[in-house]
Amino acid sequence: MSFAELTRSRYSCRSYEERAIEPEKLSAILEAGRIAPSACNKHPSRVLVCDTDALREKAAKAAKHFAKDGSVFGAPVVLMVCEKVDTAWVRKYDQMGSGDIDTSIVVDQMMMQAEDLGLSTCWVCHFDPRVAIDEFGLPADLYPVHMLTVGYAADEIASECVREARTIPMSDFRIVL
């Protein structure tokens, strides 16, 4: 599958089969995140793999609006991507830290690797980080930024015309000066 085909086939899956992810596929997804680039190679990203009933339930408590069947959207795996505090590169001009960007690159690479392996995902940012910190007992130097649900889809991608209607037109997306 070409990268263009991969980007067009990926969608935000919100319903999963009750089917485990093969360990080798999960390893490949984690490896894609591990090797993701980061600003100045600081690598502030850390991933908590929620692949047991107890861990998935904790993730669901943090993302209560998406809790389903003891997980987030009923996914067999929820990847909690955290930033290791005070390790990301900081831009000197305005003190912008790259942690959100670096962790986003990790999620993006894991998301696309999952799709390439025949799995579906949903990138979740609508969760309460304080609940996640408390539920998981995360140390003070780890801050949860994203969740990525992973599994075999029990729903289907919307039609191409529906997807196109949801997408920003190129004339709005591209800035022409």
Side-chain angles (χ1 to χ4, degrees):
M1 175 183 317
S2 73
F3 185 74
E5 292 167 328
L6 186 66
T7 62
R8 294 219 176 256
S9 66
R10 204 219 71 79
Y11 71 101
S12 295
C13 179
R14 292 182 174 89
S15 184
Y16 294 91
E17 294 179 3
E18 290 184 33
R19 180 172 156 194
I21 296 172
E22 297 85 347
E24 63 275 7
K25 288 186 177 183
L26 181 56
S27 292
I29 292 165
L30 292 171
E31 179 65 6
R34 185 188 73 80
I35 65 171
S38 66
C40 292
N41 289 316
K42 297 285 188 178
H43 299 286
S45 303
R46 303 294 185 271
V47 179
L48 172 62
V49 178
C50 303
D51 59 353
T52 66
D53 290 343
L55 293 173
R56 286 187 297 268
E57 183 64 36
K58 290 178 183 203
K61 286 180 183 177
K64 67 181 180 179
H65 299 293
F66 306 128
K68 179 182 173 189
D69 301 328
S71 186
V72 181
F73 294 124
V77 172
V78 179
L79 302 176
M80 173 80 63
V81 180
C82 301
E83 177 186 351
K84 188 159 177 62
V85 178
D86 296 328
T87 61
W89 174 79
V90 176
R91 185 167 57 196
K92 68 180 180 176
Y93 305 105
D94 61 0
Q95 301 306 300
M96 183 216 62
S98 67
D100 284 350
I101 297 165
D102 293 338
T103 56
S104 294
I105 295 168
V106 166
V107 173
D108 189 60
Q109 286 202 186
M110 292 192 304
M111 182 177 66
M112 298 310 272
Q113 179 64 75
E115 181 70 28
D116 188 54
L117 294 169
L119 296 162
S120 293
T121 61
C122 187
W123 190 330
V124 178
C125 289
H126 185 61
F127 68 93
D128 188 334
R130 291 278 15 133
V131 173
I133 289 166
D134 293 343
E135 284 295 320
F136 291 108
L138 294 176
D141 68 339
L142 286 181
Y143 189 80
V145 183
H146 317 276
M147 289 186 193
L148 183 67
T149 60
V150 185
Y152 289 95
D155 60 4
E156 294 181 6
I157 191 169
S159 70
E160 190 172 329
C161 62
V162 168
R163 293 186 77 199
E164 187 60 33
R166 295 178 187 161
T167 305
I168 186 171
M170 183 59 77
S171 60
D172 293 338
F173 178 72
R174 184 177 175 186
I175 300 169
V176 180
L177 300 177

